[in-house]
Amino acid sequence: MSFKTSVIGLGYLGTTQAVILAKMGHSVIGIDTDKAKVESLSSGKLTFFEPGLAEMLGEMLSSGRLRFVASYPEELREVDIHFLCVGTPREENSDEVDLSAIIDSATALAKFLSPDALVLGRSTVPVGTAEKVRRLLSEETGSKQKVAWNPEFLSEGTAIRDSLKPERIVIGVDDKESETILRQLYKPLTDSGVPLLAMDTRTSELVKVASNSFLATKVSFINGVASVAESVGASTTLLAEAMGLDPRIGSQFLRNGLGFGGGCLPKDVAGFQMQAQKAGASEFASLLQSVSNINRSRVQQTLKLAETLIPELSGKSVAILGASFKPNTDDTRESPGLTVARELFKIGALVAVHDPVVKLDNSLEGLVVSSELDLVIKEADLVIIATDWPTYKELDPFVLGKTVRSKYLIDGRGVIDIPGWQAAGWTVLALGEGTPSHG
Ligand code: UGA
């Protein structure tokens, strides 16, 4: 069964959503008020990097099922499902979620909403947002409107796979009709074995922030273990491998290092903490506060390791490898590697940053960012691996050793083979790896 759909908000989530809906055979109108973005997408150019998505965008534009517009068109009155995919960032100087884009887009949509249409929220939102949108639409249109929530769980870098083969589909529905529509929409996926869980909108809104907060807690747990391992001379990599083999623990999200970044985990932990505090769950709020604190402490630990190698960093050249918050994306939001870069810059180091895909007009608040590795590491006094891009695993310590000024390296992501680099004459310090002392 194919639906007439609209996707409102063409950021990372909305663009992926629009392309995937067209791929599933639905007709899609993608809407964003940013004209430049709409022009770029209409000509087949993505506004961010995501493996495989540009090719699929081109294919879907040619199929005739997908188009992009910069204002709300009349045809919206014929649309069956409107996907709300606008951004829900943190409010400035607070951990509250800024819902203004949700409110603005719902208000604009109300003028073109047919009474039978379903408005489906996909953005990550605080509890009660679906009900708020439903009230707003009913007031604006003067009739009862169907609003459901369907949190997305896709990760940057694996968005296509996560959309077409998700581990689960969660639908938040407060009425039977919305549930029937969503079960029809997702039939091709559920027929292929993907579990679909239907629940009320409030629970569905919580599932998303609770899931992201749990993932963040796992990362901070292993990073907390790492600070103990560092001081007692143990290896977090080996320890995590042993822990992860217990299926009750699981090996995913147990990689220690510079910690989590991006537009989702840090924001969702902070938002969920606020929600917990308001709900009177203060012990849980403290747990989430510790998760954020441990995460930030990894940047400090990296700076400490840098000072162990070079006590006076001012005037020294530091090469940071990796600007994106994780591999396979050009997203630099809350990138731990860039935080390290900025901190080193503040204390007078000469910082150059390499990234295979991030382009920041070659400069970021005084930092040089380049995709030319040779340029970035030339005559460096210290190299820091900040993102686990697969290409950094392949680096040859002998070749690199000829370009740098001093063979000092900090592995912030457990990327390199430490003995191999030491054999090539490098002094290596790695987050989470203490030096064992025997005797
Ligand atoms: C995250 C969730 O994984 C998705 O399920 C969710 O849909 C998405 O947020 C969202 O809310 O939209 P994403 O932000 O793309 O996805 O990135 P992750 O793969 O979760 O990685 C987050 C951070 O944790 C990265 O900085 C990564 O380097 C770090 N990380 C991850 C670790 O430090 N150690 C690990 O073992 C795993």
Side-chain angles (χ1 to χ4, degrees), residues 95-160:
D95 284 335
E96 293 278 4
V97 178
D98 177 358
L99 286 179
S100 55
I102 293 266
I103 303 298
D104 292 352
S105 56
T107 310
L109 177 64
K111 296 185 187 69
F112 303 95
L113 203 53
S114 97
D116 296 329
L118 170 65
V119 175
L120 185 66
R122 298 231 66 198
S123 315
T124 305
V125 290
V127 174
T129 305
E131 289 165 4
K132 200 182 267 182
V133 172
R134 191 178 301 131
R135 266 197 310 277
L136 182 151
L137 291 175
S138 302
E139 275 164 29
E140 294 281 325
T141 61
S143 63
K144 217 169 154 221
Q145 294 291 343
K146 288 193 286 293
V147 175
W149 223 262
N150 172 211
E152 58 78 23
F153 298 104
L154 57 87
S155 295
E156 296 186 16
T158 54
I160 295 179

Side-chain angles (χ1 to χ4, degrees), residues 218-353:
K218 255 188 121 175
V219 174
S220 275
F221 187 92
I222 202 64
N223 280 334
V225 171
S227 18
V228 178
E230 279 153 8
S231 87
V232 302
S235 162
T236 314
T237 309
L238 293 175
L239 199 149
E241 195 183 341
M243 282 174 69
L245 285 173
D246 181 337
R248 292 169 305 172
I249 297 173
S251 58
Q252 294 189 53
F253 278 70
L254 270 195
R255 287 192 325 276
N256 89 96
L258 260 167
F260 57 83
C264 306
L265 262 49
K267 177 193 88 172
D268 288 352
V269 173
F272 199 23
Q273 183 191 331
M274 290 221 45
Q275 196 129 45
Q277 200 69 57
K278 281 185 199 157
S282 53
E283 297 298 337
F284 184 53
S286 324
L287 171 70
L288 295 173
Q289 179 66 61
S290 299
V291 167
S292 301
N293 292 348
I294 292 174
N295 199 45
R296 277 191 285 271
S297 75
R298 302 318 283 160
V299 166
Q300 294 312 318
Q301 176 64 5
T302 307
L303 296 171
K304 217 163 110 190
L305 294 185
E307 275 164 6
T308 309
L309 291 172
I310 305 175
E312 182 50 63
L313 280 157
S314 173
K316 292 286 193 287
S317 294
V318 184
I320 307 272
L321 306 193
S324 57
F325 79 97
K326 69 170 191 178
N328 291 319
T329 177
D330 60 354
D331 192 343
T332 57
R333 284 177 294 171
E334 307 221 17
S335 161
L338 285 186
T339 310
V340 170
R342 286 193 191 99
E343 291 297 319
L344 287 167
F345 182 72
K346 265 192 230 159
I347 56 172
L350 309 165
V351 185
V353 186

